[in-house]
Amino acid sequence: GALVYQYPRRTICKSGTSMRMECQAVGFQATSVAWYRQSPQKTFELIALSTVNSAIKYEQNFTQEKFPISHPNLSFSSMTVLNAYLEDRGLYLCGARDWGVSETLYFGSGTRLTVL
Amino acid sequence: GEQVEQLPSILRVQEGSSASINCSYEDSASNYFPWYKQEPGENPKLIIDIRSNMERKQIQELIVLLDKKAKRFSLHITDTQPGDSAMYFCAASRGASSSFSKLVFGQGTSLSVVP
């Protein structure tokens, strides 16, 4: 079956430092990867959508300078939160799909970011 | 617009009864509507989805209805059990037509099934 592994599950960083999270797709080709942040209020904010070896489209309020994303092949994607501050805390989720084959988005387990 | 509205935000039902969650969307080009269930500390998991060429879909105790004209869709859980207690999210997208077809989520419904 299709699975997405995301790590780390939890991380704590000091204010102003950076942290990187990674996603690995197994059992399907992750041609499209979406990165979301789930706030304490539980809503999902889309950060960016990336297509392998192609452009990355950031949503309003999110920038490449703050959330650089790498999506170099059909099974791997990473995102870094640069200069993390309190407002960046939350659960970060990667969702991957094979866009030419299926609309189904498979989510990783999430990375819970705490900023001290 | 791209917003998806989801109601209610909190739902409490008696075990064995039905639970209904309603969503509405703005983008008339949306053609794919999944529902995700998220348990505490876990990632969201797809439980059922419906495409715009259908009006109704059922998987065991889960029923999804889609009204394209009204731009509304709903999830109905029949014969609810305590294990159905979780957060539920509806979502809408333009499907597999584009690599940048994004999934827009509703705000979530916290369902509690009480004995």
Side-chain angles (χ1 to χ4, degrees):
Chain A
L3 288 171
V4 176
Y5 294 101
Q6 184 174 349
Y7 34 87
R9 290 288 298 265
R10 289 179 179 78
T11 187
I12 301 172
C13 67
K14 285 186 178 178
S15 183
T17 63
S18 304
M19 67 81 52
R20 172 181 152 116
M21 56 196 82
E22 300 179 343
C23 272
Q24 189 90 27
V26 176
F28 70 106
Q29 296 186 102
T31 54
S32 180
V33 174
W35 286 92
Y36 287 87
R37 179 169 67 196
Q38 189 175 26
S39 65
Q41 292 75 33
K42 300 295 184 185
T43 56
F44 288 89
E45 296 177 277
L46 178 64
I47 297 170
L49 269 173
S50 78
T51 302
V52 64
N53 289 329
S54 184
I56 298 172
K57 194 175 175 186
Y58 285 85
E59 290 293 288
Q60 202 171 14
N61 301 326
F62 296 98
T63 65
Q64 185 180 6
E65 289 70 34
K66 174 72 175 176
F67 299 96
I69 289 169
S70 171
H71 187 183
N73 57 52
L74 292 170
S75 62
F76 180 83
S77 179
S78 69
M79 184 178 77
T80 302
V81 180
L82 293 174
N83 299 317
Y85 288 100
L86 269 178
E87 59 266 25
D88 296 320
R89 63 189 172 165
L91 180 67
Y92 289 81
L93 289 156
C94 70
R97 69 181 178 110
D98 190 347
W99 74 267
V101 172
S102 169
E103 307 100 326
T104 302
L105 198 64
Y106 297 99
F107 282 99
S109 53
T111 297
R112 187 164 297 281
L113 172 62
T114 300
V115 182
L116 301 177
Chain B
E2 296 176 331
Q3 261 194 318
V4 174
E5 295 291 328
Q6 182 173 346
L7 290 170
S9 55
I10 299 172
L11 181 58
R12 191 180 169 91
V13 300
Q14 204 83 31
E15 182 178 353
S17 66
S18 295
S20 295
I21 304 172
N22 299 293
C23 289
S24 61
Y25 60 98
E26 295 180 346
D27 183 0
S28 54
S30 296
N31 58 17
Y32 175 63
F33 307 91
W35 287 86
Y36 286 84
K37 176 182 180 182
Q38 186 179 28
E39 301 193 63
E42 298 292 322
N43 58 330
K45 292 181 174 58
L46 179 71
I47 54 173
I48 190 169
D49 56 15
I50 191 167
R51 291 167 180 80
S52 58
N53 60 351
M54 301 174 71
E55 294 179 348
R56 184 182 190 279
K57 183 173 178 178
Q58 180 166 2
I59 297 176
Q60 296 180 335
E61 79 279 4
L62 302 175
I63 299 171
V64 175
L65 302 176
L66 172 63
D67 182 342
K68 285 179 292 183
K69 277 188 182 174
K71 292 195 276 187
R72 289 182 187 163
F73 58 113
S74 56
L75 173 69
H76 306 271
I77 306 173
T78 60
D79 188 24
T80 52
Q81 301 298 312
D84 294 323
S85 298
M87 284 292 295
Y88 289 82
F89 293 91
C90 64
S93 84
R94 294 185 178 186
S97 58
S98 162
S99 60
F100 289 113
S101 178
K102 60 184 180 184
L103 205 53
V104 180
F105 284 86
Q107 298 88 341
T109 296
S110 174
L111 173 64
S112 297
V113 180
V114 296

